[in-house]
Amino acid sequence: MTDEKKSTSEWPLWEVFIRSKAGLDHKHAGSLHAADAAMAIENARDTYTRRMEGVSIWVVESKYIHASNPDESGALFEPANDKIYRHPTFYDLPDEVKHM
Amino acid sequence: MTSFEQHFEDKINNEVNIEPRDWMPDDYRKTNIRQISQHAHSEIVGMLPEGNWITRAPSLRRKAILLAKVQDEAGHGLYLYSAAETLGITRDEMIEQLHTGKAKYSSIFNYPTTSWADMGAIGWLVDGAAIMNQVALCRTSYGPYARAMVRICKEESFHQRQGFEILLSLVRGNATQKKMAQDALNRWWWPSLMMFGPNDDNSPHSAQSLHWRIKRFSNDELRQKFVDAATEQAKVLGLAIPDPALKWNEERGHYDFGEIDWEEFWNVVKGNGPCNKERLDTRRKAWEDGEWVREAAMAYVEKRKNRSQKAA
Ligand SMILES: [Fe+2]
Ligand SMILES: [Fe+2]
């Protein structure tokens, strides 16, 4: 199929993560196409940091990202729902107790 | 309704965003692909009318600004193409649809930019109209589209302000300069109103898109907001909006305005605007001329991969 040939001639897709300033995490900014990692970083600079939005860039080829399946999000995340004792507000302490 | 459909509807009704790997109805996917890719094409083709004036900007300051603005539009196109790609269409497919005319882009970019004042009118009116639309889309239901819109809206406000400032300089200049500004407004006003699309009763996809929260406001609602804002802004410029029917309506709390020339609108949509052919030819040529670059870059990567494999 011609479509197949076409999509394989595309430059690979990369996911871009940007640290907006020192001390903060890298955060997903978006994606872009580039032939290799060096080009992906350059393109990410031009595409996602034209207004000093970043001090550091990570790129990873999209095919290496493994994601959880939204259909299984119940099984994955619901077990945390009934464990409210993991939160400090669960514990009822007298007002006299300070600095806790 | 299947449980997948129910789950999807619940999310839509509860203002929960839909994300790429979530189940969604085929039509929701298709409508988003169509809308996001056409939006992306508009950003990309939209670089051409303004690109026309970069080399002839009247000062270094104006040139640097225009260059930055046009570069932003390229960025907007890229954010949107990658948002559309999360729905399963490839970049190449979208570009092919643009080049064959299967996908549309905003008709406004099929009008020529004949004077420097057009850079002012485009920033003020065309970006202004786009902003009306895009601010509303920051809350669209498809997550990647909404996030691209937030990013874009942050950048757009400079576009409108620089355009308004160009016109402000012209109206404060000599009589010829003021006339240039008025002439640009005369030519860009009506096409800008057309950017919001057909009237609500002639907009077949609107109801479904509003239900799915792909659109948040109707075409006519956004157009009215734009007319209200731009009419007041025109007063600051001391320019006359070319619509004899434009009049404040106390009862509605809005400006009434004249009927759009829908024949012209559909004519340009169908490909018969002043620059449709030129715009598409330019895009196709850029794509074809760039082909060897795209191939060479991949060939270089392959070669280096092979070399490092041999060395290892
Ligand atoms: Fe834009
Ligand atoms: Fe813009």
Side-chain angles (χ1 to χ4, degrees), chain B residues 232-252:
Chain B
E232 293 301 323
Q233 291 158 354
K235 289 181 189 164
V236 178
L237 293 170
L239 295 177
I241 289 177
D243 179 2
L246 187 73
K247 199 169 152 259
W248 177 251
N249 182 326
E250 190 65 53
E251 212 170 292
R252 293 201 308 126

Side-chain angles (χ1 to χ4, degrees), chain B residues 43 69 73 76 127 156 159:
Chain B
E43 303 282 353
K69 181 194 187 277
E73 306 302 3
H76 298 175
D127 287 82
E156 282 293 348
H159 297 180

Side-chain angles (χ1 to χ4, degrees), chain B residues 42 45-53 66 69-70 73 107-131 156-167 170 180-181 183-189 191-192 195 226 233 237 279:
Chain B
S42 302
V45 178
M47 291 193 280
L48 300 174
E50 289 176 297
N52 183 32
W53 280 92
L66 188 58
K69 181 194 187 277
V70 171
E73 306 302 3
S107 279
I108 192 84
F109 303 118
N110 291 318
Y111 290 86
T113 44
T114 52
S115 93
W116 169 252
D118 290 11
M119 298 305 98
I122 288 182
W124 173 37
L125 298 172
V126 176
D127 287 82
I131 290 170
E156 282 293 348
S157 125
F158 128 67
H159 297 180
Q160 195 182 18
R161 291 171 71 102
Q162 66 84 36
F164 197 83
E165 194 202 61
I166 288 174
L167 293 179
L170 287 171
M180 271 171 74
D183 167 67
L185 170 56
N186 292 349
R187 283 180 294 107
W188 290 95
W189 176 254
S192 299
M195 284 175 72
F226 175 74
Q233 291 158 354
L237 293 170
R279 300 292 184 236

Side-chain angles (χ1 to χ4, degrees), chain A residues 3 5-13 28-39 43 46-51 53 63 67-71 73, chain B residues 4 21-23 68 71-76 78-79 82-83 85-86 90-93 96 147 151 154-156 158-159 293-295 297-298 300-301 304:
Chain A
D3 275 9
K5 190 185 153 265
K6 242 175 238 147
S7 50
T8 51
S9 74
E10 268 183 7
W11 286 348
L13 191 64
H28 186 237
S31 43
L32 48 75
H33 289 271
D36 61 10
M39 191 197 280
N43 289 357
D46 292 343
T47 310
Y48 293 105
T49 66
R50 289 192 301 283
R51 288 176 177 77
E53 291 97 332
K63 66 177 179 192
S68 62
N69 183 345
D71 298 337
S73 57
Chain B
F4 284 122
R21 288 162 55 92
D22 294 346
W23 185 91
Q71 195 191 7
D72 272 355
E73 306 302 3
H76 298 175
L78 295 177
Y79 307 155
S82 52
E85 281 171 274
T86 62
T90 67
R91 182 80 56 106
D92 281 0
E93 282 172 305
E96 171 150 333
R147 291 192 283 278
R151 202 175 275 283
K154 277 189 198 153
E155 302 182 349
E156 282 293 348
F158 128 67
H159 297 180
V293 180
R294 295 191 296 276
E295 278 173 11
M298 274 325 283
Y300 176 66
V301 169
R304 279 207 318 193

